[in-house]
């Protein structure tokens, strides 16, 4: 479903990572590990097609990928339901009732997003993943602002609803999500300094 081959990527024109290769089948996920600045976000953005690689390839079915970062991607003036409906309509879909249950949003359906707490906004932002119908997810610190209960809720959705239905995911996180999936430490893939600069010169 996802094949990454000898990928070399950069931030601001400065090489950050090189020789990154791995593959995920339907139902599989991988956790990206490494210290701050190692290039986790850069790798996710490159795999998602938001920036071109310096070399190497990233292959997955066309139209199946989605990237979610620290930003919640919600509109403050819209209610929870209106936000989810907005994202569903962009992808020519309807909002499944399971999206509200999976992220504990039932009692918040009619609340303006701008009045939600940071954790509630994060849950609403993650609920978008349940309505857009994309099978290959690239997630950058998806559980920021979530309490332990909400982290488990996200992990349950990922395990049962996404991976369990044949999706795959690459997740950059520093916390234990409770998912039984392999981790990839990016430290060995830091790009060597060369004439174009090196990883130490980049802001990641």
């Amino acid at each position: 479903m996802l094949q990454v081959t000898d990928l070399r990527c950069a931030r601001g024109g400065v090489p950050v990572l090189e020789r990154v290769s791995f593959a995920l089948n339907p139902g599989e996920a991988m956790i990206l590990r490494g210290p701050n600045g190692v290039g986790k976000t850069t790798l996710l953005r490159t795999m998602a097609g938001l920036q071109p690689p310096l070399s190497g390839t990233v292959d997955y079915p066309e139209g199946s990928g989605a990237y979610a970062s620290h930003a919640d991607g919600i509109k403050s003036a819209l209610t929870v339901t209106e936000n989810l409906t907005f994202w569903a309509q962009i992808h020519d879909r309807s909002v499944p009732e399971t999206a509200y249950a999976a992220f504990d949003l039932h009692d918040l359906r009619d609340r303006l997003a701008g009045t939600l707490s940071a954790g509630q906004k994060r849950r609403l932002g993650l609920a978008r993943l349940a309505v857009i119908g994309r099978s290959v997810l690239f997630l950058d610190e998806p559980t920021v602002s979530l309490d332990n209960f909400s982290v488990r809720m996200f992990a349950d959705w990922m395990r049962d609803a996404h991976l369990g239905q044949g999706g795959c995911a690459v997740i950059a996180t520093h916390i234990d999500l409770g998912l039984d999936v392999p981790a990839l430490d990016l430290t060995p893939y830091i790009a060597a300094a060369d004439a174009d600069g090196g990883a130490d010169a980049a802001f990641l």
Side-chain angles (χ1 to χ4, degrees):
M1 175 171 273
L2 171 63
Q3 179 74 51
V4 178
T5 305
D6 202 21
L7 194 66
R8 188 170 188 254
C9 52
R11 176 67 178 260
V14 178
V16 175
L17 296 169
E18 60 187 3
R19 299 177 290 101
V20 179
S21 296
F22 64 88
L24 294 179
N25 295 313
E28 295 182 340
M30 175 174 288
I31 303 295
L32 298 182
R33 300 289 194 197
N36 292 334
V38 76
K40 296 184 293 293
T41 295
T42 299
L43 178 59
L44 287 170
R45 289 177 55 83
T46 303
M47 291 188 296
L50 299 178
Q51 61 186 60
L54 294 176
S55 60
T57 59
V58 180
D59 295 308
Y60 51 89
E62 184 176 357
S64 66
Y67 170 80
S69 66
H70 308 79
D72 294 318
I74 61 179
K75 296 183 179 296
S76 298
L78 299 182
T79 67
V80 166
T81 294
E82 288 169 340
N83 267 281
L84 293 182
T85 299
F86 169 80
W87 282 103
Q89 290 178 342
I90 286 179
H91 295 274
D92 196 27
R93 297 169 60 87
S94 59
V95 180
E97 283 297 314
T98 53
Y100 295 100
F103 295 95
D104 195 21
L105 296 173
H106 268 305
D107 294 340
L108 302 173
R109 296 172 71 125
D110 298 324
R111 284 271 300 274
L112 292 177
T115 68
L116 301 177
S117 70
Q120 291 168 335
K121 289 177 180 177
R122 174 93 300 215
R123 297 204 319 262
L124 175 55
L126 290 173
R128 290 178 303 155
L129 303 175
V131 306
I132 61 175
R134 297 299 180 93
S135 57
V136 183
L137 299 180
F138 304 100
L139 307 180
D140 194 358
E141 297 290 351
T143 57
V144 169
S145 300
L146 294 185
D147 58 22
N148 289 337
F149 174 78
S150 297
V151 170
R152 290 195 299 272
M153 204 161 25
F154 166 75
D156 288 343
W157 175 83
M158 175 60 63
R159 181 189 305 107
D160 300 332
H162 185 67
L163 301 179
Q165 295 182 15
C168 74
V170 184
I171 308 169
T173 182
H174 291 285
I175 71 170
D176 182 6
L177 298 177
L179 295 172
D180 185 18
V181 299
L184 178 66
D185 182 2
L186 294 181
T187 305
Y189 301 97
I190 294 175
D194 57 25
D196 297 321
D200 290 342
F203 292 97
L204 308 178

